[in-house]
Amino acid sequence: MRVGLGHDTHRLVPGRPLILAGLRIEHTKGLAGHSDADVVLHSVVDALLGAAGLGDIGDAFPDDDPSFLNADSVLFLEATMARLYVKGFRVMNVDVIIHAQEPKLGPVKTLLRENLAKLMGMSVDRVNVKAKTGEHVGHIGRAEAIACHAVVLLDDRDHEDSETL
Ligand code: MG
């Protein structure tokens, strides 16, 4: 088994759509970024790459590459899942914490969970999404940004380079 950790932060700004876990969430602001700035998918991609020993999302999808301008981050997730599949990794589970003061994510976290599971081709019971506020302190609590943490567990039994410990 291999564990991977991912984290991401994007600023909340007017004039952008808010995209989380591949879903458009109704809000007066959205996340600033080169791509669609989906902090959830970026965190999950980083966790997957980390667990597989494949670097980070900046290596895989550089944010100065014009072809990724306003890119749908679902493409990053799909490309990463395909890379792991080819290398013989299987994703066992994913756990995510979204840190957002605004909008309130409690009402949509089940939708986010179901969509993340669908995008990853996993059953919903292997994918978990939690939401926390910033308790009105710091950049999260002042609603200046949304952040996300993700952890994944990979089964590397079929990985060509796996060694027995
Ligand atoms: Mg990002």
Side-chain angles (χ1 to χ4, degrees):
M1 295 291 179
R2 293 170 173 231
V3 69
L5 171 66
H7 173 261
D8 197 22
T9 304
H10 283 268
R11 284 182 302 115
L12 261 180
V13 295
R16 291 268 298 181
L18 178 60
I19 313 286
L20 296 173
L23 289 180
R24 172 89 187 251
I25 306 297
E26 208 50 55
H27 191 44
T28 53
K29 295 177 179 176
L31 295 174
H34 183 69
S35 67
D36 65 3
D38 187 330
V39 282
V40 177
L41 296 192
H42 292 186
S43 301
V44 170
V45 166
D46 246 356
L48 291 168
L49 292 171
L54 293 173
D56 63 36
I57 191 169
D59 300 332
F61 310 102
D63 66 3
D64 56 359
D65 184 333
S67 64
F68 299 136
L69 182 63
N70 295 318
D72 181 348
S73 296
V74 171
L75 301 176
F76 300 163
L77 179 64
E78 287 176 349
T80 303
M81 292 291 285
R83 238 177 121 186
L84 266 57
Y85 180 80
V86 166
K87 287 189 168 291
F89 294 114
R90 197 157 61 96
V91 186
M92 301 304 294
N93 78 300
V94 184
D95 191 19
V96 165
I97 304 175
I98 308 170
H99 305 269
Q101 191 69 45
E102 295 174 1
K104 289 281 174 278
L105 296 177
V108 297
K109 67 181 181 182
T110 301
L111 283 176
L112 299 181
R113 175 184 185 173
E114 289 169 354
N115 203 56
L116 184 57
K118 188 182 83 180
L119 293 174
M120 299 185 76
M122 294 170 64
S123 60
V124 174
D125 73 321
R126 290 178 181 269
V127 177
N128 197 65
V129 173
K130 308 194 282 288
K132 304 192 84 72
T133 71
E135 292 288 333
H136 299 285
V137 295
H139 59 288
I140 301 296
R142 291 189 298 269
E144 295 168 0
I146 291 178
C148 186
H149 285 101
V151 288
V152 305
L153 191 69
L154 298 187
D155 183 333
D156 74 350
R157 233 175 313 182
D158 300 324
H159 179 49
E160 68 259 29
D161 299 331
S162 59
E163 293 169 11
T164 47
L165 294 174

